[in-house]
Amino acid sequence: MGRNEALAKIDTYFHDGMFEAELARRVAYRTESVRPDSGPALTAYLDEDLIPYLTDIGFECETYCNPCADAGPILVARRQESDNLPTVMTYGHGDVVPGFDDQWDDGVDPWVITKVGNRWYGRGTADNKGQHTINLAALKTVLETRGALGFNVIILIETGEERGSPGLKEFCSANKQLFSADVFIASDGPRLHPDKPTIFMGTRGVFNFTMRLDVHAGGHHSGNWGGLLTNPGVVMAHAIASMIDRNGKILVEGWRNTHIPNSVRAAIAKLEVGGGENAPTMNPNWGEPDMTPAERVFASNTFEVRAYETGNPQSPANAIPPSAVAYGHLRYVVGTDVNQLMSLLRDHLDKHGFTNIELISERDMMYATRLDPDHPWAQWAVASLRHTHEADIAVIPNLGGSLPNEVFADVLGLPTIWVPHSYAGCSQHAPNEHILEATTHSALRLMTGLWWDLGDGNTPFTTASL
């Protein structure tokens, strides 16, 4: 039995409805981690579904309490075949964002798989139950075909990613002995295009903050006080304009990062961004000047105003508002001095006369990570995926978005490889979340081929050990 037999077996698994049945069973768990009463559902997802599934294929499973007291449990599963074989760590999260049950299209229940054409609707289908269901099914298929995996596996499933992964870094830091591995391979996020298999080796970081200006105790009639009182909405608008120009170029000294390593630039040069179903129309002149669109989203820092409010937008009054607040964030790449971001912004605002604007850091940051595209494990993974796909794939040094990848890359010190199975138009945090049938079938084949190749002996692990 060989690689082709394993691929044929995963084809049968998909076409006979077994993947749909497994995913439907998992989607049915209402694992909305932001809800204060979600604990029983999060625990049940692990205890009733994943642990029996993994135990049946030879994994030893243990659940751990989260170091963060109000966060859900963490599952660690291990299958150890030999100390002389490579060990892969993989990851998924069992929690989902709120269902927003009454906002989905007519006839679509977020907790049931609903198939409409090429789309399979359901909360968690794209983020992340569908993605780790694909990877686990591919593992099981290789095991059944070969009789063994040919490598060791450590699986971590958390239940709080949609809350920012509280406790994950602390747990991994305190339990490094559980995660001694050679490489990290997991799935989350979107492909570059639905029909283009994609690999990324890190993520941009994200730094969220609030800018607030309080000027008056209450609003004041604009006829009586206009021209006499400071309007905080106007001041805040000018403060924002001092931070970024009308075409999206960052103006805060120290916030830009324009250095792109040659290996990263070469990988990005092959990418075409912005396509795919439901994709918005790009502005070719927005962002860092003298960069390609791919370099802007994958290799540079970008500042965004997430929300901005002054007065009462729902019921505007003819009055000077008492305050203004703006919510911003910086997406940043490796090489940015993250510890200086807030002080650099403070210095910038003070220099431009906005000393009264208060700055508040909203939460712990997700840090930027990036594995060099020339790394042996990255090259190996690209070759495996290309073999199955029989064509080139998209190689992204780091995702434009953010994941808790610093836990695996920095805390555990692993080379990190992500193979996403979704696409940008999947509505993953909104009503009508879905996966695409063709993309899902492709992903099952890709991961079956990748797991097969990992157990076939020709990996950086064996090369390094000769």
Side-chain angles (χ1 to χ4, degrees):
M1 302 291 281
R3 194 179 197 273
N4 289 337
E5 286 77 11
L7 293 174
K9 190 176 184 68
I10 203 71
D11 288 341
T12 299
Y13 162 83
F14 181 77
H15 291 307
D16 285 358
M18 290 179 283
F19 172 78
E20 180 184 350
E22 287 187 348
L23 181 57
R25 188 178 69 241
R26 291 170 182 160
V27 166
Y29 286 90
R30 301 179 64 118
T31 53
E32 303 159 287
S33 58
V34 298
R35 294 175 56 96
D37 59 349
S38 64
L42 298 173
T43 300
Y45 185 74
L46 302 181
D47 290 349
E48 297 174 6
D49 191 292
L50 289 188
I51 290 177
Y53 181 94
L54 292 170
T55 301
D56 187 56
I57 56 175
F59 281 81
E60 296 180 358
C61 302
E62 186 170 354
T63 54
Y64 295 83
C65 293
N66 196 304
C68 181
D70 66 342
I74 296 171
L75 169 64
V76 178
R78 184 180 188 100
R79 179 183 167 94
Q80 182 74 15
E81 293 191 352
S82 171
D83 293 343
N84 296 320
L85 293 174
T87 299
V88 61
M89 179 181 177
T90 190
Y91 160 90
H93 63 89
D95 65 316
V96 297
V97 298
F100 305 122
D101 298 33
D102 60 348
Q103 299 179 37
W104 292 54
D105 288 347
D106 290 343
V108 178
D109 182 338
W111 310 108
V112 177
I113 298 292
T114 302
K115 299 166 68 173
V116 180
N118 190 38
R119 296 185 176 191
W120 293 18
Y121 290 92
R123 177 61 82 217
T125 51
D127 188 20
N128 175 257
K129 293 176 179 177
Q131 302 218 31
H132 64 252
T133 295
I134 288 169
N135 292 358
L136 295 180
L139 272 176
K140 184 178 180 181
T141 298
V142 170
L143 178 59
E144 291 175 345
T145 305
R146 180 184 272 146
L149 290 174
F151 56 93
N152 309 310
V153 187
I154 303 166
I155 300 174
L156 186 152
I157 303 290
E158 67 160 318
T159 56
E161 195 270 351
E162 300 297 359
R163 292 180 52 197
S165 298
L168 180 64
K169 181 179 290 187
E170 294 78 6
F171 176 78
C172 289
S173 296
N175 296 279
K176 290 183 180 179
Q177 75 283 357
L178 297 176
F179 307 110
S180 179
D182 298 288
V183 64
F184 174 93
I185 302 174
S187 299
D188 205 346
R191 290 180 172 187
L192 188 65
H193 297 279
D195 58 352
K196 184 82 166 180
T198 300
I199 180 174
F200 62 89
M201 285 80 75
T203 64
R204 285 200 295 183
V206 60
F207 165 59
N208 286 354
F209 62 93
T210 302
M211 301 168 59
R212 185 172 187 89
L213 178 61
D214 294 301
V215 179
H216 316 293
H220 296 274
H221 192 282
S222 62
N224 298 330
W225 294 99
L228 303 176
L229 298 182
T230 297
N231 188 310
V234 173
V235 175
M236 185 65 76
H238 281 272
I240 294 171
S242 79
M243 297 166 62
I244 186 169
D245 75 10
R246 63 183 296 170
N247 293 313
K249 177 184 175 181
I250 296 174
L251 303 177
V252 179
E253 186 175 351
W255 272 25
R256 298 170 70 214
N257 189 327
T258 58
H259 172 68
I260 305 176
N262 290 336
S263 60
V264 173
R265 190 183 297 275
I268 289 175
K270 302 175 184 178
L271 304 178
E272 180 183 351
V273 300
E277 189 176 355
N278 294 337
T281 301
M282 292 191 304
N283 178 354
N285 300 314
W286 184 267
E288 191 65 38
D290 303 320
M291 283 191 178
T292 68
E295 289 171 346
R296 290 169 182 163
V297 74
F298 297 129
S300 73
N301 297 350
T302 55
F303 166 60
E304 306 294 345
V305 177
R306 298 177 293 139
Y308 177 31
E309 184 173 21
T310 189
N312 185 354
Q314 287 73 39
S315 182
N318 293 333
I320 301 166
S323 62
V325 60
Y327 300 89
H329 76 190
L330 187 77
R331 296 277 183 181
Y332 68 91
V333 296
V334 168
T336 303
D337 188 350
V338 298
N339 295 319
Q340 297 298 317
L341 292 178
M342 184 64 88
S343 61
L344 289 169
L345 178 56
R346 180 73 274 164
D347 291 345
H348 172 88
L349 292 176
D350 291 351
K351 178 181 177 181
H352 286 79
F354 303 110
T355 57
N356 292 333
I357 292 180
E358 179 186 9
L359 296 178
I360 305 164
S361 180
E362 290 188 19
R363 65 175 187 176
D364 291 340
M365 295 183 289
M366 285 189 176
Y367 293 90
T369 56
R370 179 195 291 149
L371 183 68
D372 193 296
D374 289 340
H375 190 280
W377 275 109
Q379 292 292 306
W380 172 85
V382 169
S384 173
L385 297 174
R386 186 183 292 136
H387 181 195
T388 303
H389 185 57
E390 298 181 339
D392 284 340
I393 67 167
V395 180
I396 305 175
N398 56 261
L399 189 68
S402 301
L403 290 167
N405 194 53
E406 75 271 12
V407 175
F408 315 116
D410 298 337
V411 174
L412 299 179
L414 300 176
T416 54
I417 294 168
W418 295 82
V419 185
H421 306 323
S422 183
Y423 81 112
C426 69
S427 303
Q428 66 181 62
H429 282 180
N432 301 317
E433 177 182 349
H434 62 277
I435 53 175
L436 300 178
E437 183 173 307
T439 301
T440 300
H441 183 202
S442 162
L444 284 163
R445 291 178 58 83
L446 290 168
M447 293 308 298
T448 299
L450 189 147
W451 296 140
W452 184 273
D453 293 342
L454 185 59
D456 221 17
N458 187 24
T459 70
F461 171 84
T462 54
T463 300
S465 64
L466 291 176

